């Protein structure tokens, strides 16, 4: 159980959790943690009206988003939401969810998932006491700035949610946290899974040594540098980075192709290396970086990214693993994980469900989550637990 000094405060409202179909597994785990913690709590005011409905077997509400044959949808909430402190979980990149469209099976896109999220908020119709959206992968997070005459999708999406009555938005490892400037008067938090990465590595790799003599952190490009710096600082490691030299005269699949990876950093000879980034999309760039590291005689290579999208399948990772380009691949369960990924010898899943449960539990008590946004003390404690300090 977590440290529970915050439970002395009165909850801001009766807790309700809606996990959309895209987030069912994660929602069930989160609900299980919260109901388990609260079942064992003993508070002097537990019998008062302020704690009515505080201890329940489940806080999950049923919200269905059925589709007509034409593909049009709607939302039906089958429980009361009046007066609830409501938390809505959605995974906008879960391509495994399907619906029928004119007799064809259609896989849901991020646009479809976001539209269903808005339908759920509409169905609440101002009845909930407070609505918080937990969207691990920020919808359109990579379309966060204008560089030419183009749409600014992420900012518009955030503004839509706020205008619909959402009071707080929580995401994880936003591609560019500055997108919160689109809603400066509303709550927006982006949380890094650094603690879960370190915990997963310590639990699954017994002979790992997290010190500056044996390990180094690598940023695969300039955009991931801030993540790599924080990861390295809490572990006391050195940082290196790659600069992606691109061909800006050509556009392939919506982006400029990479011509070469230029390395900046100290000698890597024999050292374990952690490549840290926010996501794996096709994985091509990550494998190229691992190949460049091996050319520089790096030891074991650990790839740690918050979101494993694997948009072009796992075959290239299977091949890279057989070639010895990386040792372990770590991603979180914040987005859909196909069954064959979980079975891979090289794969480690960093479970975020307990972390999300703690965030919801704290926010329901209007408690600070600053220790979760910057978990430096937690990281130092687990390093000591595993004899790394």
């Amino acid at each position: 159980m977590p440290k529970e000094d915050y439970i002395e405060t009165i909850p801001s409202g009766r807790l309700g959790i809606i996990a959309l179909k895209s987030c069912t597994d994660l929602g069930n785990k989160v609900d299980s943690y919260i109901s388990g913690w609260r079942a064992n709590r003993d508070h002097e005011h537990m019998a008062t009206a302020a704690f009515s409905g505080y201890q329940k077997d489940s806080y999950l509400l049923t919200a269905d988003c059925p589709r007509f044959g034409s593909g049009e949808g709607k939302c039906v909430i089958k429980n009361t939401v009046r007066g609830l402190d409501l938390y809505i979980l959605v995974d906008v990149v879960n391509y495994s969810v399907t619906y029928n469209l004119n007799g064809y099976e259609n896989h849901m896109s991020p646009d479809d998932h976001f539209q269903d999220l808005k339908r759920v908020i509409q169905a609440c119709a101002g009845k909930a006491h407070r609505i918080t959206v937990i969207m691990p992968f920020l919808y359109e997070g990579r379309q966060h700035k204008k560089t030419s005459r183009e749409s600014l999708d992420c900012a518009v999406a955030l503004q839509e949610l706020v205008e619909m009555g959402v009071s707080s938005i929580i995401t994880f490892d936003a591609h560019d946290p500055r997108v919160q400037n689109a809603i400066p008067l509303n709550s927006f938090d982006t949380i890094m899974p650094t603690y879960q990465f370190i915990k997963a590595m310590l639990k699954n790799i017994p002979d790992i040594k997290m010190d500056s003599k044996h390990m180094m952190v690598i940023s695969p490009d300039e955009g991931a540098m801030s993540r790599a710096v924080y990861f390295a600082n809490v572990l006391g490691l050195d940082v290196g980075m790659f600069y992606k030299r691109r061909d800006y005269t050509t556009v392939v699949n919506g982006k400029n192709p990479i011509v070469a990876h230029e390395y900046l950093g100290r000698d890597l000879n024999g050292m374990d290396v952690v490549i840290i980034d926010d996501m794996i999309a096709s994985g091509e760039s990550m494998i190229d970086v691992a190949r460049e590291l091996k050319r520089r005689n790096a030891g074991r290579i650990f790839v740690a990214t918050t979101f494993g999208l694997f948009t072009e399948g796992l075959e290239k990772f299977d091949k890279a693993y057989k070639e010895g380009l990386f040792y372990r691949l770590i991603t979180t369960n914040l987005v859909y994980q196909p069954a064959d990924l979980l079975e891979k010898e090289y794969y480690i899943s960093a479970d975020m469900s307990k972390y999300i449960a703690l965030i919801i539990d704290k926010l329901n008590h209007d408690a600070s989550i600053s220790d979760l946004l910057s978990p430096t003390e937690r990281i130092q404690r687990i390093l000591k637990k595993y004899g790394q300090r």
Side-chain angles (χ1 to χ4, degrees):
M1 290 179 66
K3 186 179 178 183
E4 296 185 331
D5 51 342
Y6 59 89
I7 67 166
E8 296 304 317
T9 61
I10 294 174
S12 65
R14 289 178 294 115
L15 177 61
I17 300 172
I18 293 178
L20 273 73
K21 193 174 181 180
S22 61
C23 228
T24 302
D25 291 342
L26 185 62
N28 287 335
K29 289 181 179 179
V30 168
D31 178 59
S32 178
Y33 275 117
I34 297 176
S35 58
W37 293 336
R38 294 192 172 190
N40 294 311
R41 284 177 187 162
D42 186 19
H43 194 284
E44 60 179 321
H45 301 296
M46 197 67 76
T48 65
F51 280 85
S52 174
Y54 186 77
Q55 292 177 324
K56 297 174 65 176
D57 293 335
S58 175
Y59 301 92
L60 287 171
L61 308 179
T62 303
D64 290 336
C65 293
R67 300 265 173 169
F68 299 102
S70 61
E72 298 167 290
K74 66 176 181 178
C75 175
V76 180
I77 296 180
K78 299 183 178 180
N79 311 86
T80 179
V81 297
R82 189 176 296 277
L84 294 186
D85 185 18
L86 193 60
Y87 295 81
I88 305 173
L89 281 73
V90 59
D91 174 11
V92 297
V93 288
N94 188 341
Y95 57 87
S96 71
V97 183
T98 62
Y99 62 91
N100 189 275
L101 177 62
N102 290 332
Y104 294 95
E105 185 181 48
N106 196 41
H107 289 261
M108 289 184 68
S109 70
D111 293 343
D112 291 322
H113 287 299
F114 186 69
Q115 196 65 32
D116 274 357
L117 170 64
K118 292 195 292 182
R119 290 185 176 110
V120 172
I121 297 169
Q122 289 176 56
C124 294
K127 303 298 188 296
H129 167 64
R130 182 173 66 180
I131 298 176
T132 299
V133 170
I134 300 179
M135 186 189 298
F137 187 94
L138 185 61
Y139 174 70
E140 292 288 3
R142 287 190 283 181
Q143 188 55 26
H144 61 283
K145 62 182 179 181
K146 296 183 75 165
T147 55
S148 61
R149 192 172 301 228
E150 59 186 12
S151 59
L152 193 55
D153 297 64
C154 189
V156 171
L158 293 177
Q159 290 174 354
E160 274 188 282
L161 294 180
V162 167
E163 289 169 5
M164 294 181 73
V166 173
S167 60
S168 182
I169 298 168
I170 296 173
T171 189
F172 286 80
D173 203 353
H175 191 68
D176 188 342
R178 290 174 296 181
V179 75
Q180 65 188 289
N181 293 335
I183 49 170
L185 300 180
N186 294 84
S187 176
F188 178 98
D189 290 305
T190 176
I191 301 170
M192 303 295 292
T194 311
Y195 172 77
Q196 281 74 21
F197 284 153
I198 294 171
K199 183 178 180 180
M201 292 170 72
L202 291 171
K203 286 180 67 175
N204 290 278
I205 306 154
D207 62 338
I208 198 167
K209 294 180 180 179
M210 292 184 169
D211 59 58
S212 58
K213 292 182 180 180
H214 301 92
M215 182 174 279
M216 189 169 174
V217 179
I218 295 293
S219 171
D221 54 42
E222 57 275 22
M225 198 61 186
S226 60
R227 300 178 185 89
V229 167
Y230 179 75
F231 196 97
N233 283 347
V234 294
L235 294 176
L237 309 179
D238 288 329
V239 183
M241 72 165 286
F242 280 89
Y243 163 64
K244 291 179 181 177
R245 190 148 51 86
R246 295 180 180 270
D247 179 5
Y248 286 98
T249 64
T250 308
V251 177
V252 179
N253 293 329
K255 56 188 178 181
N256 304 109
I258 299 167
V259 177
H261 289 87
E262 308 290 352
Y263 175 67
L264 302 172
R266 60 172 282 192
D267 180 43
L268 295 167
N269 190 32
M271 297 186 73
D272 285 347
V273 173
V274 181
I275 308 173
I276 191 83
D277 207 354
D278 61 335
M279 74 179 74
I280 292 174
S282 68
E284 203 168 299
S285 176
M286 194 65 74
I287 292 172
D288 286 345
V289 168
R291 185 174 283 109
E292 291 294 323
L293 291 171
K294 280 298 182 182
R295 281 185 52 222
R296 291 165 174 81
N297 298 319
R300 296 180 298 183
I301 294 177
F302 304 93
V303 178
T305 68
T306 307
F307 306 109
L309 305 182
F310 305 108
T311 56
E312 295 181 8
L314 296 169
E315 291 78 11
K316 63 179 64 178
F317 287 93
D318 295 340
K319 182 180 177 183
Y321 178 65
K322 288 177 182 177
E323 292 176 13
L325 295 183
F326 69 92
Y327 181 68
R328 290 292 182 268
L329 171 63
I330 308 159
T331 69
T332 70
N333 63 337
L334 292 171
V335 296
Y336 170 68
Q337 297 169 302
D340 56 340
L341 172 65
L342 297 172
E343 295 170 358
K344 299 295 182 184
E345 177 187 9
Y346 55 76
Y347 181 68
I348 298 173
S349 177
D351 186 10
M352 299 295 295
S353 56
K354 188 175 181 180
Y355 216 50
I356 294 175
L358 187 54
I359 291 168
I360 293 174
D361 198 31
K362 280 195 161 194
L363 290 178
N364 184 235
H365 280 269
D366 283 331
S368 171
I369 60 170
S370 59
D371 61 322
L372 303 178
L373 299 176
S374 182
T376 305
E377 291 183 10
R378 286 169 169 263
I379 291 170
Q380 295 308 315
R381 284 199 300 268
I382 199 167
L383 288 172
K384 289 179 182 178
K385 178 181 176 181
Y386 283 87
Q388 298 290 332
R389 291 293 179 269

